[in-house]
Every structure is written in C-alpha cells, then in structure tokens.
Amino acid sequence: MDNRSAGREAGSALATLGGLSGLQGVSTMVWLNDREKKAAAGVSHTGAQTGLGRTRLARELFSGRYRPGQSLQLDKIAAEYGMDNESVLKAFAEFQTLGMVTLAGNFSAIVHSPNPKEMEEAYEIRAALEEIGGRAAARALKGNTAALQRELDAMRSAFHHLDLDSFVEHDAAFHRSILQASRNEVLLRVWDSLAVDLRIRGALGKVLTDLREVVESHQPIVDALEKGRGREAGLLLRNHVETLSEYMKKPESDPGFQGALRTDLEGAKDVQQAFFPPHSLSIPCLSCETFYRPVHDIGGDYYDFLPLERGRWGIAIGDVSGKGIGAALIMASLQASLRAQASHSHSDLSTLIGDVNRLVYESSPTNFYASLFYAEYEPGTRVLNYVNAGHNPPIVLRTGNGRCEMFHLESSGMLVGISADSQFPTTTFQLEIDDVLVAYTDGITEVENRRGQFWGQPGLESLLLSCGSRTPEQIIKCIVDEITTFADRLPQRDDMTLVVMRVHDV
C-alpha cells in the first residue's frame, strides 16, 4: 500500500472512532459544589455576545496574557469578557480539554503553558476528518453553496476590517457547516471534541502575515462543492488545514537560519528560471510574449513552449496549488512529465494529459494538484487542439470590421493530480490571422485593491477589448500597468503569469 492509500485508510478509520483517547469533547463532566452551581446560573447574554467573548478570551489565553500557574476567578473573567457564568464555565471546560487550564474549586482555574505538539496532532486529525467530510458533503452541497459563500464573504470583510474575532467565528462556521452537510455524526463529535474554533484562535497569531492567503484558500473549496466534486473538495480541505499546520511550525527569527535559507532560495530561483523557455523563442506564424512574477522568490505558476513532430508546437500554462518551494517542486514534476509525454507520438491530447495526470498523481503528496491548459498548434492550418484541466479559460480576441469578438477556451476537465483516472476531453479551435490568444493564471485576475475588491475576469476582458490590435508585448504592458494601478501599492498575494500570442500569415 502506498503512502496516499495509507493516509486514506487512516482517515476512514478515524471516521469510525467515536471515542478518541484524550478527545472526549466539550461535554466533559465538571463536578461542582452547591456554591459553584449557583454561581453558574448568572444572567444570560445573547449567543453573539457570548461567542465573541469566548473568542476574545481564547485569543488572550493563547497569546500569553495569563501566566502559567496563574489562578483565575471565573466570575471575574465572565464580567470582563461579557459572558455569563454558565458560558464561561463551558469555555473553561473546553480549555481544560485542550490542556490549557485545570478547573479548580471556588469557581476558579489554573493556567498552563500551550503544548505545540498537541496542537499539531489535533490538526493532523482535523485534516483527515475534513477531507472525509468534504467528500461526503459534496452531494448535499452541489448547487447549494450560497450559505458557504456568505461565510467566506464575511471572512473577507472581517479581514478587511481587521476584526479577527469575527473572522474566527465565520471561519469555524464555514468548516463546521461542511461537516454538518456530510451528515456524519461521528465527524461532528470529533470536530467538537477538538474545539476547532478555539484552536483556530490559538493559531491565528502564527498566520497573520499569510491571513489573506488563508482567507482566499476557501474559495476553491466552495467552487468544488458547488460542482459536486467531492474528491476535489476533500483534498482542498486537507490542503487548507495542513497549510495552517505548516504555518504554525514557522521557526523563530534567527539571522543564521534566515541567511542560509536566503542562500538556498537564491539557488532554487536560478534553477527554476532554467525551467522556463528562452525569451528569444521563435514559433512560425506566431509572435509571443510572456510575463512571470512569483509572489516569493520561486513559485508554482508554469508556462512552456514545446517543439513537436511535423512542425507542431505545444503551448502550456498551469498553476500548482500552494506557493514557494513545495509548489515549485510539483511544477517541475508537471513540466517534466508533460515534456516527456509530448515528445512521444500520441493519438490524441486526452490520452496525453491522462498519462501526465497519472504521473503527477502518483508522484505528488496528497494535498497537491494543478490546473493546466495544454494546446498543440499547427502553424500551416492554424488549428489549435487543446485540453483545459481546471485552468482559467484563455481568451481569444478577434478584431475586424470595427469590432472585437472574444472567445473563451473553457475548462472541461478536472484539475491534474486529483484522481488517477480523471478524463480530459479535447477541444478544437480554429484560429485566424491576427487573432490574439491571452492565457493567464488567477494571480492576474485576483489582484485586490484597498477596498477589498478584485480586478477579476471582467476587468481583464474590459481591458483586452480596448487593446486587441496591439502587439503581445504592448498587451502585457497594458495588463501589468492596469493591475499595478488597481492594487495601489498593496503587496502581491499570488504568483502572476501571462502568455500572449498573435497569429501571423507568415
């Protein structure tokens, strides 16, 4: 059994366990004396007030406001955080389950130090149960993800307004609602026993610099569930949780470590640059221009031009999940697999990309996948045969008679690396002289401004309609200038890639 299968077996076993050792849940019994029972019957507050107070309390407990060994009077905590005594007692029962405190007599609790190993182990369990839940929930949520989208939009708003307490509430609601849709009560019991919303609060300090990326990683999950793609949704959920876990393992700032890391990254950057085709590349009857800017020194975006038999050319653009070194390694694997398969005689692109998909699937960790647009162009006939495996649809501009038509080379296949037996239909498009083909990754369309608005595909299409008669170099300059102005000096948040080609007669 390979590692991928073993992981799935472990995940399935997890779903059958109702009583995990050490994870008995928030319903843990806490024996109280008569005085404590009376104290727990305080004035009730609204659910929203209690939830925000509980979140703020968790944040300050995880952030170290209270010293290990310090004794806390729960009635005073309740008053400070706007909670009633019953709610604060329930919250501290959860903190006790997490090993953060020990409940004591006289309605009090003793604070303990956080246990990083326990947090990591909890996130491993969470990743498994969310993958299972996402697969099971897809049928119920297909075409029915409006509530999830509202939670995501609320997360975006909370991030924009730096309201971290509200962000946690909506983040937890997003993930729990998927488990509810799975209709698996065991998963829900394990989720509740992990006190995931409190762990999210505790982890937030480690992910603040990457929080925008964390927020936007929810959108592909919504999209996969909307289409009923359970396997894809499950892998995206696992990837999301495991990425959070990696953020929590970030090393402390160490000049020696950082210097060595910087040297390694510079070397990796040079190696990755060698993967891309030379700028002086010449393709018959096509003028080409490219643009590539990773968010870090190296990234997971990919483009390539491949000379093939009988004068044909392969044209590829892709986007690997994640960023940085891990994504770059998968990108290199994808490029090597595609080049190896394309260099051999093949009957059709569907078979070719199916073989590439299996190679990537078998050689990649479970939580990695990629979108890919691959086309083969015949200069003599100007016929473009292509497969679009979950990638942003490239746009063909056709100018004539004072107007500009726009065609989209839509996706008709699943992402590469999701399933070994995925199917990838081939489509044919007849290009004409002076047509312009614009391929891009979502780092271009997901540029955000200071009002939290995305430039989006409508922004790209509007701009292209006004510059369809320009050269590929000029079109790329127009796009880059436009998104730079739109972002208004906000930092880049995703890898950016553009491939622009114009068809010529000779």
Side-chain angles (χ1 to χ4, degrees):
M1 179 183 296
D2 61 21
N3 291 338
R4 189 188 301 268
S5 298
R8 290 175 191 135
E9 293 287 345
S12 299
L14 169 64
T16 66
L17 298 178
L20 293 175
S21 175
L23 298 172
Q24 289 82 8
V26 297
S27 57
T28 303
M29 295 297 293
V30 181
W31 295 98
L32 308 176
N33 58 35
D34 289 341
R35 176 182 175 187
E36 290 165 340
K37 289 178 182 177
K38 292 178 182 178
V43 178
S44 176
H45 288 240
T46 67
Q49 289 173 319
T50 298
L52 289 175
R54 176 174 170 272
T55 300
R56 186 164 63 91
L57 172 59
R59 179 186 69 212
E60 296 186 354
L61 188 64
F62 275 102
S63 67
R65 174 183 174 183
Y66 302 105
R67 303 183 308 277
Q70 183 176 353
S71 177
L72 305 177
Q73 287 300 129
L74 302 194
D75 53 351
K76 293 181 180 179
I77 293 292
E80 179 177 353
Y81 290 92
M83 305 168 67
D84 57 50
N85 287 345
E86 183 177 3
S87 297
V88 81
L89 180 61
K90 182 179 179 180
F92 271 82
E94 294 173 335
F95 296 145
Q96 181 170 259
T97 301
L98 299 180
M100 297 294 298
V101 302
T102 297
L103 286 165
N106 300 320
F107 204 52
S108 64
I110 306 299
V111 178
H112 300 306
S113 298
N115 185 341
K117 185 175 185 297
E118 193 271 346
M119 180 75 89
E120 291 176 17
E121 291 171 346
Y123 266 72
E124 291 174 2
I125 297 172
R126 179 188 168 191
L129 72 89
E130 290 214 31
E131 180 179 1
I132 299 166
R135 293 186 186 190
R139 179 176 297 179
L141 291 174
K142 183 178 181 180
N144 188 32
T145 56
L148 281 180
Q149 190 65 56
R150 286 194 295 271
E151 293 292 352
L152 174 53
D153 290 341
M155 277 188 261
R156 286 170 170 152
S157 177
F159 170 76
H160 181 66
H161 293 95
L162 301 180
D163 185 350
L164 300 185
D165 294 338
S166 177
F167 169 82
V168 171
E169 294 298 316
H170 292 292
D171 189 11
F174 178 97
H175 290 274
R176 195 177 195 280
S177 64
I178 294 174
L179 294 181
Q180 287 175 319
S182 75
R183 300 176 184 175
N184 187 322
E185 293 300 322
V186 174
L187 292 184
L188 277 172
R189 285 202 300 272
V190 177
W191 167 275
D192 288 337
S193 73
L194 290 171
V196 170
D197 59 335
L198 297 182
R199 294 183 189 277
I200 293 172
R201 178 66 267 173
L204 206 55
K206 284 279 191 177
V207 304
L208 282 177
T209 57
D210 302 285
L211 191 55
R212 185 189 300 274
E213 180 180 338
V214 170
V215 173
E216 292 308 321
S217 68
H218 291 84
Q219 187 64 63
I221 298 169
V222 176
D223 295 342
L225 291 170
E226 176 68 22
K227 297 173 183 175
R229 295 179 174 174
R231 177 179 172 80
E232 183 178 343
L235 292 177
L236 288 167
L237 282 160
R238 174 181 281 276
N239 181 57
H240 171 84
V241 176
E242 290 181 345
T243 299
L244 288 177
S245 180
E246 288 302 312
Y247 285 148
M248 289 188 289
K249 298 175 187 176
K250 287 180 180 178
E252 298 297 326
S253 179
D254 172 22
F257 172 83
Q258 296 295 337
L261 180 61
R262 171 56 54 187
T263 300
D264 288 345
L265 285 175
E266 287 297 330
K269 181 179 179 180
D270 292 338
V271 171
Q272 188 182 44
Q273 285 297 325
F275 292 154
F276 292 100
H279 287 290
S280 59
L281 194 70
S282 176
I283 299 178
C285 304
L286 282 182
S287 57
C288 308
E289 190 67 29
T290 61
F291 171 84
Y292 172 66
R293 181 190 292 164
V295 68
H296 302 306
D297 286 327
I298 58 177
D301 277 9
Y302 155 68
Y303 71 89
D304 204 358
F305 299 99
L306 295 78
L308 305 174
E309 297 175 338
R310 301 187 304 277
R312 295 171 301 119
W313 280 83
I315 301 163
I317 184 170
D319 186 357
V320 175
S321 64
K323 297 174 181 65
I325 294 176
L329 290 172
I330 302 302
M331 182 274 279
S333 174
L334 172 61
Q335 183 193 45
S337 299
L338 181 57
R339 284 197 165 197
Q341 296 301 311
S343 66
H344 300 145
S345 296
H346 47 273
S347 57
D348 60 86
L349 294 192
S350 296
T351 301
L352 168 66
I353 300 303
D355 291 341
V356 171
N357 172 70
R358 278 187 289 276
L359 289 170
V360 173
Y361 177 84
E362 291 167 1
S363 64
S364 304
T366 303
N367 58 323
F368 279 95
Y369 51 89
S371 67
L372 174 67
F373 174 86
Y374 176 70
E376 292 189 352
Y377 178 65
E378 170 57 60
T381 62
R382 295 187 292 277
V383 169
L384 191 78
N385 293 308
Y386 69 89
V387 167
N388 189 338
H391 195 73
N392 304 84
I395 297 169
V396 176
L397 301 171
R398 181 168 295 164
T399 304
N401 300 321
R403 57 193 294 265
C404 182
E405 291 184 90
M406 187 172 287
F407 305 89
H408 298 84
L409 309 184
E410 296 284 356
S411 169
S412 57
M414 189 178 290
L415 296 162
V416 170
I418 291 288
S419 172
D421 54 2
S422 295
Q423 301 297 310
F424 301 93
T426 302
T427 306
T428 297
F429 187 86
Q430 179 64 60
L431 290 167
E432 297 181 1
I433 294 172
D434 285 335
D435 279 357
V436 174
L437 189 150
V438 180
Y440 59 96
T441 59
D442 58 13
I444 297 294
T445 51
E446 293 182 1
V447 170
E448 188 175 358
N449 66 15
R450 294 187 179 274
R451 296 186 296 278
Q453 301 168 324
F454 290 97
W455 191 49
Q457 189 165 329
L460 174 62
E461 292 181 1
S462 176
L463 180 65
L464 290 177
L465 287 172
S466 68
C467 60
S469 61
R470 302 186 184 186
T471 66
E473 183 178 9
Q474 290 169 336
I475 291 173
I476 284 182
K477 185 177 187 305
C478 284
I479 294 172
V480 173
D481 288 349
E482 183 71 18
I483 59 178
T484 301
T485 301
F486 184 84
D488 190 22
R489 297 185 300 279
L490 282 178
Q492 182 180 339
R493 52 183 297 273
D494 199 0
D495 301 335
M496 295 179 177
T497 302
L498 283 164
V499 175
V500 180
M501 297 169 286
R502 179 178 288 279
V503 180
H504 298 293
D505 189 9
V506 290

